Amino acid sequence: SKEITGNSYHFFSEGMDTRTFESVKLENALYRALDHEELVLYYQPQVDYLTQRIVGVEALLRWNHPVKGLIAPDQFIPIAEETALIIPIGEWVLRESCRQLKYWQDQGYPLFSIAVNLSARQFEQNNLFAMVTNVLSEVGLSAEYLHLELTENLIIKNRELTLKTMKELKSLGIKIAIDDFGTGYSSLGYLKSLPIDTLKIDKSFLHDVTNDDDNAAITNTIITLAQNLNLSVIAEGVETKQHVEFLSARECYLMQGYYFSRPMKAEDITKDFIMDRDY
Ligand code: C2E
Ligand code: CA
Ligand code: CA
Ligand code: CA
């Protein structure tokens, strides 16, 4: 609306896009969420189907909103990224998940790793390496147990800084996985220049893999690519016995998905997965 009203309320009445208003409200609430301990981590097991062992858990963020209940990350991570709130939130996620893993290790449970998602925005911070180093020493967790999951779009955005930071992280012994592999717009060339350990097959490819020839071809190609480049490969979104069989037949044994477990609270992982190893 072009009306001049001289009235500041006008901005919030007809001129305002309600979605923008909603996201401003959400942003303010998200600021408070961190202070009020409304953020929670769920953990999803990563399984080696061949040895039948849990090899890792991925930390997945949720927001326990006082009114709306549990909110999925897709609903608020984009806002956190736009506003740079992802920086303190990401640091909290890293500290909390490392602390949880250290706790499991201190209980004497079999060792496995913790996978933490990093957004591009965090990677662009030039003190990321210092932050990670600090958290690890503060928590007392050995770096080899930390796996960082990054997406391809991060790599396109800032190649120089990405390479520098990746090398620093790798020098500590941290492992790096490319998340949602194959869904980004980057070329494959970076696979030889960047110190990557693992390709993570996106669940969108696996979903229809037994009916859709194209998805089967893509999944096959990613597995073969990883094997030929001597990278680990893990499939996410493993939901069915058919998925498990498809992957096993191609010697892709690292799997994560509802077939094994939904993301769960740490206590439930301890009960259902670490103590009762039957999957
Ligand atoms: P992602 O990293 O690709 O994580 C996998 C998503 O697939 C998770 O959704 C997980 O709950 C879901 N999933 C796991 N197994 C299955 C399955 O068998 N079938 C199906 N259909 N889905 C499955 P979630 O937890 O809602 O997370 C969504 C995205 O939010 C993540 O995708 C990640 O990109 C982002 N995210 C989550 N936590 C964090 C975080 O701490 N920091 C950052 N930067 N991003 C995060
Ligand atoms: Ca991930
Ligand atoms: Ca994914
Ligand atoms: Ca993702």
Side-chain angles (χ1 to χ4, degrees), residues 20 35 53 60 95 122 164 195:
T20 308
D35 290 339
R53 280 170 189 277
L60 292 158
R95 180 173 290 106
Q122 285 176 278
K164 178 177 168 282

Side-chain angles (χ1 to χ4, degrees), residues 179-180 202-203 236:
D179 211 347
D180 304 342
D202 191 65
K203 59 177 180 288
E236 71 171 24

Side-chain angles (χ1 to χ4, degrees), residues 44 58-62 73-74 77 86 93 117-119 122 149 179-180 203 236-239 257-258 263:
Q44 188 178 34
E58 178 176 5
L60 292 158
L61 186 59
R62 273 98 184 92
D74 291 339
I77 296 244
I86 195 66
V93 167
N117 293 287
L118 281 193
S119 75
Q122 285 176 278
E149 297 194 354
D179 211 347
D180 304 342
K203 59 177 180 288
E236 71 171 24
V238 179
E239 292 185 351
Y258 297 164

Side-chain angles (χ1 to χ4, degrees), residues 89-182:
I89 290 176
E91 182 171 347
W92 179 85
V93 167
L94 183 71
R95 180 173 290 106
E96 190 58 28
S97 46
C98 288
R99 198 179 272 161
Q100 180 61 50
L101 189 70
K102 177 72 172 139
Y103 170 81
W104 277 320
Q105 293 187 347
D106 289 347
Q107 302 304 300
Y109 298 136
L111 295 172
F112 53 86
S113 55
I114 181 84
V116 176
N117 293 287
L118 281 193
S119 75
R121 191 81 189 246
Q122 285 176 278
F123 230 78
E124 284 160 10
Q125 295 275 302
N126 47 28
N127 66 350
L128 178 74
F129 176 67
M131 187 278 276
V132 173
T133 315
N134 264 332
V135 167
L136 287 172
S137 71
E138 193 187 303
V139 171
L141 182 71
S142 166
E144 68 193 287
Y145 297 108
L146 178 60
H147 293 201
L148 296 175
E149 297 194 354
L150 319 173
T151 53
E152 289 175 292
N153 54 0
L154 174 152
I155 290 160
I156 322 168
K157 263 183 144 179
N158 194 337
R159 270 196 108 102
E160 288 299 300
L161 182 64
T162 305
L163 179 61
K164 178 177 168 282
T165 309
M166 275 190 183
K167 279 182 171 165
E168 287 173 338
L169 293 166
K170 286 288 300 174
S171 73
L172 289 180
I174 291 169
K175 300 271 182 353
I176 293 173
I178 301 299
D179 211 347
D180 304 342
F181 184 77

